[in-house]
């Protein structure tokens, strides 16, 4: 390869690298940019070259307003009855060629099918909107800011937005609350202040003036194209524990028959079993506290409490571990977490007075 060839090859490599490294901007040329084009005319009179003649034309780049509101993730948010600060997450992305504000509104569905296929049958409460102030993608109540708009959203940038609410007590597994986040394109007139709603310029292109075109084209999920408004849906699905408590007793022994066919006569020992069952398909129940006031006709048998036992069918097994306490005629104890579809017991004994 000659030196000239080597230089040409190097130049080609640099040119290719330059093309590869050039960033792509979805928003395009910035609104308000002046684009100027100059034409040059050269000519001769006879054999004499004359002074070139130039002519220029300039125009302003108009404003294309386009943004999207979209759900982050593709699954419902599982919540518990009575849970507070439950979160659905959205992204607001600006594909305009200018900075805009985006006004935000959070609303709830009223019946119908939710975005993840459930049927909307309750409303969450204390609904608020927050912007992800520290840009970590996770709701932080002490850091993120409650808002009703995204302020000064630059072209080709996005912000994470959270709908945060509370779940009423008493909801059952499978109950669903649908929520909707709506954004409206607004003027970015001053930082810290929501501008007016942006409207499209009507009629022909205005010379030397920046016109506005509403360009968002989303028609999914009921959106209307080119109206400066975009919205998306998410939902909360309740995963509750469904606990039932069953209390049974059996005579263990009596002073006459011992343990052979004992009867509940004075002096007999009776064993109580409190069985806590959690229905299948729900959430694990935790922090379970049992409290049982003894009948006046009975006397607690010391150190007889066992917790976290199991059942076979409807019969309590004697496989628990020592625990619980008795004070002033009240037996109490804690059970370990009861997963959906499982049962734990608290067992204790008394004697009949």
């Amino acid at each position: 390869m000659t030196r000239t060839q080597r230089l040409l090859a190097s130049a080609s490599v640099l040119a290719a690298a330059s093309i590869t490294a050039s960033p792509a901007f979805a928003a395009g040329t910035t609104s308000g940019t002046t684009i100027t084009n100059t034409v040059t005319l050269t000519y001769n009179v006879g054999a004499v070259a004359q002074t070139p003649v130039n002519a220029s034309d300039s125009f302003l780049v108009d404003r294309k307003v386009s943004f999207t509101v979209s759900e982050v993730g593709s699954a419902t948010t599982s919540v518990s009855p009575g849970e507070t600060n439950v979160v659905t997450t959205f992204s607001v992305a600006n594909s305009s060629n200018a900075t805009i504000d985006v006004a935000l509104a959070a609303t709830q569905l009223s019946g119908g099918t939710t975005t993840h296929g459930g049927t909307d049958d309750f409303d969450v409460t204390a609904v608020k909107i927050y912007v992800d102030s520290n840009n970590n993608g996770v709701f932080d109540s002490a850091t993120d800011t409650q808002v009703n708009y995204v302020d000064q959203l630059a072209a080709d940038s996005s912000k994470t937005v959270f709908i945060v609410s509370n779940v009423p007590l008493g909801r059952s597994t499978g109950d669903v609350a649908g929520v909707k986040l709506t954004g409206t394109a607004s003027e970015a007139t001053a930082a810290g202040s929501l501008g007016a709603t942006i409207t499209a310029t009507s009629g022909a292109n205005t010379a030397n003036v920046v016109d506005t075109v509403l360009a968002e084209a989303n028609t999914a999920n009921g959106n209307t194209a080119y109206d400066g408004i975009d919205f998306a849906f998410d939902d909360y699905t309740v995963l509750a524990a469904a606990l039932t408590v069953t209390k049974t007793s059996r005579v263990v022994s009596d002073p006459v028959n011992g343990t052979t066919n004992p009867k509940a006569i004075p002096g007999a020992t009776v064993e109580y079993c409190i069985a806590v069952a959690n229905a299948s398909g729900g959430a694990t129940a935790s922090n379970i506290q049992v409290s049982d006031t003894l009948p006046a006709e009975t006397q607690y048998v010391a150190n007889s409490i066992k917790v976290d036992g199991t059942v076979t069918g409807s019969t309590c097994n004697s496989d628990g571990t020592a625990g619980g306490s008795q004070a002033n005629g009240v037996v109490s104890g804690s059970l370990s977490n009861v997963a959906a579809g499982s049962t734990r017991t608290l067992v204790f004994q008394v004697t009949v007075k």
Side-chain angles (χ1 to χ4, degrees), residues 13-46:
V13 171
L14 288 172
S18 175
I19 292 171
T20 303
S22 297
F25 295 101
T29 305
T30 302
S31 168
T33 299
T34 299
I35 295 180
T36 302
N37 176 264
T38 300
V39 61
T40 300
L41 176 67
T42 61
Y43 66 100
N44 291 353
V45 175

Side-chain angles (χ1 to χ4, degrees), residues 67-78 87-93 104 109 113-118 137 158-163 176-183 218 220-221 223 230-237:
F67 72 99
T68 55
V69 177
S70 57
E71 174 198 9
V72 174
S74 58
T76 187
T77 299
S78 293
V87 179
T88 53
T89 306
F90 298 83
S91 175
V92 180
L104 300 173
L109 302 188
T113 302
T114 61
T115 192
H116 296 296
S158 64
K159 263 297 185 186
T160 299
V161 172
F162 308 106
I163 292 180
V176 182
V179 292
K180 174 183 177 182
L181 181 67
T182 301
N218 182 24
N221 301 315
N223 273 285
D230 200 56
F231 53 79
F233 299 92
D234 206 341
D235 48 53
Y236 303 98
T237 300

Side-chain angles (χ1 to χ4, degrees), residues 20-346:
T20 303
S22 297
F25 295 101
T29 305
T30 302
S31 168
T33 299
T34 299
I35 295 180
T36 302
N37 176 264
T38 300
V39 61
T40 300
L41 176 67
T42 61
Y43 66 100
N44 291 353
V45 175
V48 180
Q50 304 297 301
T51 302
V53 178
N54 299 319
S56 297
D57 178 75
S58 297
F59 65 89
L60 289 176
V61 175
D62 290 325
R63 182 172 60 166
K64 178 195 76 173
V65 175
S66 180
F67 72 99
T68 55
V69 177
S70 57
E71 174 198 9
V72 174
S74 58
T76 187
T77 299
S78 293
V79 296
S80 302
E83 188 176 358
T84 60
N85 287 343
V86 294
V87 179
T88 53
T89 306
F90 298 83
S91 175
V92 180
N94 184 15
S95 53
S96 309
N97 64 340
T99 297
I100 61 173
D101 288 351
V102 180
L104 300 173
T107 54
Q108 302 194 58
L109 302 188
S110 180
T113 302
T114 61
T115 192
H116 296 296
T119 299
D120 177 84
D121 55 11
F122 80 97
D123 285 345
V124 289
T125 61
V127 179
K128 300 179 180 68
I129 302 172
Y130 287 81
V131 67
D132 187 13
S133 300
N134 57 6
N135 298 315
N136 67 351
V138 178
F139 174 61
D140 301 301
S141 59
T143 304
D144 295 332
T145 306
Q146 185 179 346
V147 298
N148 62 1
Y149 69 101
V150 178
D151 191 30
Q152 301 284 311
L153 187 61
D156 282 310
S157 69
S158 64
K159 263 297 185 186
T160 299
V161 172
F162 308 106
I163 292 180
V164 181
S165 58
N166 300 335
V167 181
L169 283 168
R171 303 312 309 184
S172 302
T173 294
D175 287 352
V176 182
V179 292
K180 174 183 177 182
L181 181 67
T182 301
T184 302
S186 304
E187 300 287 356
T189 51
S193 177
L194 175 63
T197 299
I198 294 174
T199 58
T201 302
S202 60
N205 184 64
T206 308
N208 300 317
V209 173
V210 176
D211 292 335
T212 296
V213 175
L214 299 180
E216 95 293 337
N218 182 24
T219 58
N221 301 315
N223 273 285
T224 300
Y226 313 126
D227 63 351
I229 299 171
D230 200 56
F231 53 79
F233 299 92
D234 206 341
D235 48 53
Y236 303 98
T237 300
V238 175
L239 189 62
L243 297 184
T244 56
V245 179
T246 304
K247 186 175 182 180
T248 58
S249 64
R250 70 182 184 93
V251 182
V252 176
S253 65
D254 72 46
V256 176
N257 299 298
T259 59
T260 302
N261 299 319
K263 306 297 187 291
I265 62 175
T269 298
V270 176
E271 184 176 82
Y272 283 114
C273 175
I274 300 168
V276 179
N278 190 1
S280 298
T284 296
S286 60
N287 193 29
I288 301 168
Q289 306 295 320
V290 177
S291 178
D292 190 347
T293 300
L294 299 177
E297 300 82 6
T298 65
Q299 177 69 44
Y300 170 70
V301 176
N303 301 317
S304 65
I305 303 172
K306 291 184 177 180
V307 296
D308 289 337
T310 62
V311 298
T312 300
S314 59
T315 302
C316 295
N317 300 317
S318 299
D319 56 355
T321 58
S325 62
Q326 186 277 145
N328 301 318
V330 178
V331 171
S332 58
S334 301
L335 298 182
S336 298
N337 292 353
V338 180
S342 65
T343 302
R344 292 188 182 275
T345 65
L346 182 148

